[in-house]
Amino acid sequence: MTTAEISIDAGSLLDIEAVMAVMDDSFDAAFGEAWTAPQCAGLMPMAGVWLTLARRGDEAVGFSLSRVVLREAELLLLAVRRDAQRSGTGRALLDAFIHSAAARGAEHLHLEVRDGNAAVKLYSAAGFSEVGRRPAYYRGSDGQVFDALTLAKSIHN
Ligand SMILES: CC(C)(COP(=O)(O)OP(=O)(O)OC[C@H]1O[C@@H](n2cnc3c(N)ncnc32)[C@H](O)[C@@H]1OP(=O)(O)O)[C@@H](O)C(=O)NCCC(=O)NCCS
């Protein structure tokens, strides 16, 4: 799958350094949404978890981390390096998540996103809608807390 010169492919635990480089560049520490390397590396080998990378040439510029359990799939993380944003890579990774989740048998998709994150617009445009709110779910670098929205979308295989 290709968007302009971006390719979207499966990743693995071997890509953890590239994932963390994108993570550190893309997420603003003020909001407390990023994961640590041990959190990512601990989850990746688990059943039902898959990593998708967006590459420009050999270089990773974005990734998504997802999990499927029976008919439910969750988008755990989605990030694109700042210098590669606003050119369709986030949407391409989200589309890949939706297609891959369907291929793995999922019928319901969900994700958590900080209330106020620009990504909400991306998710809404892809058909996700708000089904819940978790108060004070994220804690930013200065101790400020932010609600998480739970967004969901049904798909039909
Ligand atoms: C959210 C994120 C992955 C989007 O990646 P991206 O490659 O820029 O996304 P796209 O170029 O596909 O954008 C698709 C649409 O989303 C919306 N959007 C994305 N970023 C936006 C921003 N900063 N402000 C307003 N709208 C935005 C727009 O509607 C955009 O379409 P447009 O560019 O035609 O206006 C990226 O901004 C990111 O990594 N953010 C930090 C990490 C994060 O918060 N991830 C989401 C929670 S896990």
Side-chain angles (χ1 to χ4, degrees):
M1 183 179 185
T2 302
T3 298
E5 76 280 28
I6 301 287
S7 62
I8 305 286
D9 295 299
S12 77
L13 196 50
L14 297 174
D15 298 302
I16 185 75
E17 272 186 38
V19 164
M20 291 314 297
V22 174
M23 187 97 70
D24 294 343
D25 182 77
S26 57
F27 282 95
D28 187 335
F31 300 121
E33 300 159 287
W35 291 23
T36 64
Q39 284 173 322
C40 290
L43 202 84
M44 279 184 203
M46 292 176 69
V49 174
W50 76 99
L51 174 70
T52 305
L53 286 181
R55 289 195 180 86
R56 192 163 52 198
D58 289 339
E59 199 180 12
V61 295
F63 73 90
S64 65
L65 186 63
S66 317
R67 170 171 53 195
V68 67
V69 178
L70 301 176
R71 305 276 177 230
E72 299 275 340
E74 181 175 14
L75 180 62
L76 299 162
L77 285 168
L78 173 68
V80 174
R81 218 170 64 186
R82 283 171 201 262
D83 67 1
Q85 290 180 4
R86 301 307 291 270
S87 60
T89 304
R91 179 62 201 240
L93 283 164
L94 182 58
D95 287 346
F97 161 68
I98 294 167
H99 286 117
S100 193
R104 290 161 196 255
E107 293 174 358
H108 305 285
L109 311 180
H110 64 103
L111 61 91
E112 309 279 352
V113 61
R114 174 179 52 82
D115 190 9
N117 189 323
V120 172
K121 199 171 166 194
L122 169 63
Y123 298 137
S124 300
F128 284 81
S129 53
E130 186 178 331
V131 295
R133 174 182 290 268
R134 295 180 188 226
Y137 187 76
Y138 299 102
R139 180 173 296 273
S141 53
D142 66 355
Q144 199 182 347
V145 294
F146 304 92
D147 292 355
L149 304 179
T150 304
L151 307 185
K153 172 185 170 79
S154 291
I155 52 176
H156 304 285
N157 291 303

